[in-house]
């Protein structure tokens, strides 16, 4: 796994000047931070992504901050994204004007296409995930696409079969916002407080990457491709006025006795071309690992209306502000159409919004302790969402697996 070095991340926190509009002059948030990573001997180029999976806290979606490829060296300097764009190819991020049905119209600010958009957590402090990919190809952009506006979903398709190694790093970025009388305002807070060190046990999102494997009757691995999802497990709006989906089975394998439980998160990037953002589709927590067995089995629902009833329901993108905006884009009269899936399995086809060739990400996190999710849910003033889950498991993750899949 590639090791990543970010000089401006100290004690788990990215320097506040690389977000919140502190740098960039005409284009706030546009100054990228220096990054260096280990060289991979066989690599012909590198790519990187910066994603805010915790944007679900306030708005319910996943925010793409930066996607860059065709990087020839194992480092980027201060402000390379904006000042030296010839050093890389940059994809559209979630601050885009090129999405077909852009979800964030009211939040959009003028910004150069694809250029790094720094962290801007509205109210809560967010953890951001930076990934570096070593590729066996010089240029991932084919001639026929060089003049197209490409998104993270396209990026995943273009690096397919070319990744020879990759690395993950993460950091916290603190918010400067607060809610006053239902309005977002800036709070008075010093730079020293924004940059203050995290406790040691909270500085790293991942502690280790012990192997986790899985299988599913719904997912079919295919050579030279991502796994494919049987369309029977994709939800849609049928004779019922509601959207519904049949969640699929999953068998998780791990030898490590240090893993005590699992968390599963599915993210849809199939809507990035239409909405500009990713959607959180499914979160399951409290999956205890059988300590005397390397195998943990999660059964599927038998039909669309027999969804997994979690003892600790976690709200996905269809139970948030995001749902209102999506319903408007679809011309629905009510977000109640999403009632069946908002705290269950929400991998659904959205007419006119979901790209048929889109990618979905399945992540399995292995946790080194048993978490009292009932107490966390009881103490929360609102339904839990993936932000709460990710904040809770930070610093406890010792096993990880991730795969991307498409629809058959």
């Amino acid at each position: 796994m590639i090791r990543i070095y970010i000089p401006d991340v100290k004690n788990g926190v990215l320097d506040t000047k690389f977000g919140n509009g502190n740098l960039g002059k005409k284009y706030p948030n546009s100054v990228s931070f220096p990054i260096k990573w280990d060289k991979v001997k066989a690599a012909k180029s590198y790519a990187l992504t910066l994603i805010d999976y915790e944007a679900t806290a306030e708005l319910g979606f996943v925010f793409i901050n930066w996607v860059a490829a065709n990087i020839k060296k194992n480092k980027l300097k201060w402000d390379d994204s904006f000042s030296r764009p010839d050093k890389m190819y940059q994809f559209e991020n979630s601050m885009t004007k090129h999405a077909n049905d852009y979800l964030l119209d009211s939040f959009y600010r003028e910004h150069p296409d694809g250029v790094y958009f720094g962290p801007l957590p509205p109210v809560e402090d967010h953890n951001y995930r930076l990934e570096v990919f070593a590729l066996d190809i010089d240029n991932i952009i084919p001639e026929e696409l060089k003049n197209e506006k490409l998104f993270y979903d396209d990026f995943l398709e273009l690096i397919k079969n070319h990744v020879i190694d990759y690395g993950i790093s993460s950091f916290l970025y603190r918010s400067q916002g607060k809610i006053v009388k239902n309005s977002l305002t800036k709070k008075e807070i010093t730079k020293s407080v924004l940059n203050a060190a995290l406790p040691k046990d909270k500085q790293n999102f991942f502690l280790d990457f012990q192997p986790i494997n899985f299988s599913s009757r719904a997912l079919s691995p295919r050579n030279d491709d991502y796994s494919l999802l049987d369309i029977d497990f994709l939800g849609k709006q049928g004779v019922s006025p509601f959207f519904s989906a049949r969640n699929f089975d999953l068998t998780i394998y791990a030898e490590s006795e240090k893993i005590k439980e699992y968390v599963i998160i599915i993210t849809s990037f199939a809507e990035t071309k239409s909405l500009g953002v990713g959607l959180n589709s499914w979160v399951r927590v409290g999956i205890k690992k059988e300590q005397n067995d390397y195998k943990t089995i999660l059964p599927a629902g038998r039909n669309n209306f027999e969804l997994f009833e979690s003892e600790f329901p976690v709200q996905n993108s269809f139970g948030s502000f995001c749902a209102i905006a999506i319903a408007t884009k679809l011309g629905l009269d009510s977000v109640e159409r999403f009632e069946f899936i908002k705290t269950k399995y929400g991998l659904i086809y959205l007419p006119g919004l979901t790209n048929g060739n889109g990618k979905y990400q399945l992540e399995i996190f292995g946790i080194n302790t048993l978490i009292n999710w009932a107490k966390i849910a009881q103490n929360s003033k609102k339904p839990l969402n993936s932000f709460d889950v990710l904040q809770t498991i930070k610093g406890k993750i010792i096993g990880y697996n991730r795969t991307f899949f498409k629809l058959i």
Side-chain angles (χ1 to χ4, degrees):
M1 180 168 267
I2 300 173
R3 288 179 297 176
I4 303 169
Y5 311 92
I6 309 173
D8 291 286
V9 171
K10 293 182 172 60
N11 301 306
V13 180
L14 177 68
D15 194 305
T16 190
K17 66 188 176 185
F18 293 104
N20 275 6
N22 290 321
L23 288 173
K25 296 183 180 178
K26 181 180 179 181
Y27 301 113
N29 294 52
S30 65
V31 177
S32 57
F33 48 87
I35 312 167
K36 188 176 181 179
W37 54 89
D38 289 342
K39 278 186 179 180
V40 176
K41 188 174 182 180
K44 294 184 178 180
S45 71
Y46 299 93
L48 64 81
T49 63
L50 179 64
I51 298 178
D52 181 5
Y53 287 96
E54 296 184 7
T56 53
E58 297 89 355
L59 301 172
F61 51 74
V62 172
F63 194 96
I64 315 294
N65 291 79
W66 193 20
V67 183
N70 295 352
I71 303 167
K72 297 303 186 291
K73 295 184 178 180
N74 64 318
K75 63 182 179 181
L76 289 175
K77 297 179 182 178
W78 187 89
D79 198 32
D80 269 1
S81 172
F82 183 83
S83 300
R84 290 171 284 275
D86 56 308
K87 300 283 186 182
M88 68 198 90
Y89 178 94
Q90 299 183 89
F91 292 70
E92 292 298 302
N93 54 41
S94 290
M95 191 55 64
T96 179
K97 58 178 177 289
H98 298 290
N100 300 330
D101 291 285
Y102 191 45
L103 193 71
L104 305 180
D105 291 324
S106 58
F107 299 94
Y108 180 75
R109 60 176 66 181
E110 190 62 34
H111 198 70
D113 292 349
V115 169
Y116 166 90
F117 188 81
L120 187 66
V123 179
E124 303 285 355
D125 300 342
H126 292 187
N127 294 291
Y128 291 75
R129 203 182 305 175
L130 177 75
E131 297 192 41
V132 171
F133 303 84
L135 307 175
D136 64 0
I137 186 173
D138 290 294
N139 181 5
I140 69 168
I141 311 299
E143 187 67 22
E144 65 271 19
L145 294 180
K146 69 176 186 179
N147 295 319
E148 298 288 326
K149 297 299 180 184
L150 302 177
F151 292 76
Y152 181 65
D153 189 58
D154 299 302
F155 168 79
L156 294 175
E157 184 68 22
L158 292 169
I159 67 169
K160 180 184 67 180
N161 301 323
H162 294 296
V163 179
I164 55 178
D165 201 355
Y166 84 107
I168 303 178
S169 183
S170 72
F171 53 79
L172 184 90
Y173 189 88
R174 290 196 172 97
S175 169
Q176 293 190 29
K178 63 180 179 179
I179 298 293
V180 178
K181 295 181 180 179
N182 295 322
S183 295
L184 180 65
T185 61
K186 190 171 183 178
K187 60 186 176 186
E188 296 298 322
I189 185 169
T190 65
K191 287 187 177 181
S192 61
V193 172
L194 290 168
N195 290 331
L198 291 172
K200 284 191 175 181
D201 63 341
K202 289 294 183 182
Q203 289 182 10
N204 297 307
F205 192 83
F206 296 93
L207 292 181
D208 198 0
F209 293 91
Q210 295 182 28
I212 295 174
N213 291 315
F214 67 92
S215 63
S216 173
R217 288 174 295 175
L219 291 169
S220 305
R222 180 172 289 186
N223 292 333
D224 301 326
D225 208 337
Y226 297 111
S227 292
L228 302 180
L229 177 75
D230 190 319
I231 202 164
D232 284 347
F233 296 89
L234 180 74
K236 57 186 176 180
Q237 189 174 5
V239 289
S240 163
F242 299 98
F243 284 89
S244 60
R246 176 186 171 199
N247 61 289
F248 57 80
D249 67 284
L250 202 62
T251 301
I252 304 172
Y253 309 90
E255 296 282 357
S256 175
E257 294 182 359
K258 293 181 180 179
I259 296 176
K260 304 301 181 184
E261 70 173 68
Y262 300 106
V263 166
I264 297 171
I265 299 180
I266 291 183
T267 306
S268 171
F269 295 112
E271 293 82 22
T272 51
K273 278 191 172 184
S274 55
L275 300 178
V277 297
L279 301 181
N280 177 237
S281 300
W282 194 28
V283 183
R284 282 185 69 171
V285 300
I287 305 166
K288 294 181 180 179
K289 180 181 181 294
E290 294 294 336
Q291 290 307 296
N292 297 324
D293 194 350
Y294 71 97
K295 182 167 61 175
T296 302
I297 301 174
L298 306 177
R302 288 176 294 185
N303 56 59
N304 288 7
F305 300 100
E306 189 182 81
L307 296 176
F308 172 76
E309 292 287 354
S310 175
E311 187 180 352
F312 319 108
V314 181
Q315 193 166 263
N316 55 35
S317 290
F318 301 102
S320 63
F321 160 87
C322 200
I324 300 172
I326 291 172
T328 301
K329 298 293 183 185
L330 294 176
L332 300 179
D333 54 3
S334 171
V335 296
E336 294 305 309
R337 301 286 182 91
F338 300 128
E339 189 68 29
F340 274 93
I341 60 171
K342 69 181 184 181
T343 57
K344 298 176 184 174
Y345 174 78
L347 197 62
I348 62 172
Y349 173 73
L350 300 171
L353 299 183
T354 300
N355 174 6
N357 294 316
K359 317 299 177 305
Y360 303 85
Q361 175 180 269
L362 167 66
E363 294 182 288
I364 303 174
F365 301 88
I367 314 302
N368 65 1
T369 186
L370 292 174
I371 297 172
N372 190 340
W373 293 105
K375 183 177 181 181
I376 293 171
Q378 184 180 5
N379 292 338
S380 179
K381 296 178 181 178
K382 57 180 179 54
L384 298 182
N385 63 20
S386 59
F387 166 80
D388 304 300
V389 172
L390 291 168
Q391 291 265 320
T392 300
I393 67 176
K394 179 181 180 180
K396 302 178 180 70
I397 303 165
I398 59 171
Y400 182 70
N401 196 352
R402 185 262 305 278
T403 190
F404 295 99
F405 61 89
K406 300 193 296 187
L407 308 179
I408 291 180

